[in-house]
Amino acid sequence: MAQDKIRSPGRSLSRSPGRSASRSPARRLDDTTEAQLERLYKPVFVMKPSSIKCSEGQTARFDLKVVGRPMPDTYWFHNGQQIINDYTHKIVIKEDGVQSLIIVPALPQDSGEWTVVAQNRAGRTTVTVNLSVDGK
């Protein structure tokens, strides 16, 4: 029964009965080695924002969801200028991972190209959409 005692350096082989040694998404974090934690994955948008049109004074909202390892940071740009949280631009992240850029009230000067950049150590990914705000 020598096989029952096989151990890898620095790693515990505690598994639930009947579970294969392959990559199980249900694997517990404490069963994961440092080398596995260091695997890097470039950001991927699993939900991309869409171009929108609205009238002046309405709310404009871009929704997205991005994944990667480590979890990517996101940055918004309007016509090349970085946007930060301020009194008209709100960046919200919900518990389910959906991020929203909310522009309220939308003004004609908000029209143009909006780009979201997702970046981590593994790389960066961008999505560009357009906002068209019709003046009153």
Side-chain angles (χ1 to χ4, degrees):
M1 291 266 180
Q3 287 181 327
D4 292 337
K5 299 288 183 180
I6 295 174
R7 301 240 182 239
S8 296
R11 181 174 161 198
S12 167
L13 291 179
S14 61
R15 286 190 211 107
S16 300
R19 201 166 270 209
S20 72
S22 66
R23 292 184 206 154
S24 168
R27 178 180 284 169
R28 293 170 40 116
L29 183 60
D30 57 358
D31 288 339
T32 305
T33 65
E34 281 188 45
Q36 289 168 322
L37 286 173
E38 287 302 313
R39 285 192 190 134
L40 303 178
Y41 298 101
K42 183 178 174 181
V44 174
F45 286 93
V46 293
M47 182 172 101
K48 293 182 180 182
S50 301
S51 293
I52 53 176
K53 291 183 178 186
C54 68
S55 297
E56 182 176 353
Q58 290 184 326
T59 298
R61 178 176 170 156
F62 296 108
D63 294 322
L64 66 94
K65 188 170 184 178
V66 65
V67 296
R69 183 182 283 165
M71 192 60 176
D73 293 317
T74 55
Y75 307 93
W76 281 95
F77 297 86
H78 176 234
N79 295 329
Q81 296 291 328
Q82 186 168 358
I83 298 300
I84 57 168
N85 264 326
D86 61 22
Y87 64 97
T88 58
H89 304 96
K90 303 292 180 213
I91 300 169
V92 179
I93 303 172
K94 296 192 291 187
E95 285 183 21
D96 62 1
V98 174
Q99 298 182 33
S100 301
L101 170 65
I102 303 166
I103 304 162
V104 58
L107 302 172
Q109 59 261 36
D110 292 317
S111 293
E113 186 176 87
W114 288 82
T115 301
V116 60
V117 176
Q119 183 172 330
N120 65 12
R121 291 190 317 241
R124 67 188 286 164
T125 305
T126 63
V127 173
T128 300
V129 293
N130 288 297
L131 172 61
S132 177
V133 181
D134 296 327
K136 290 185 177 178

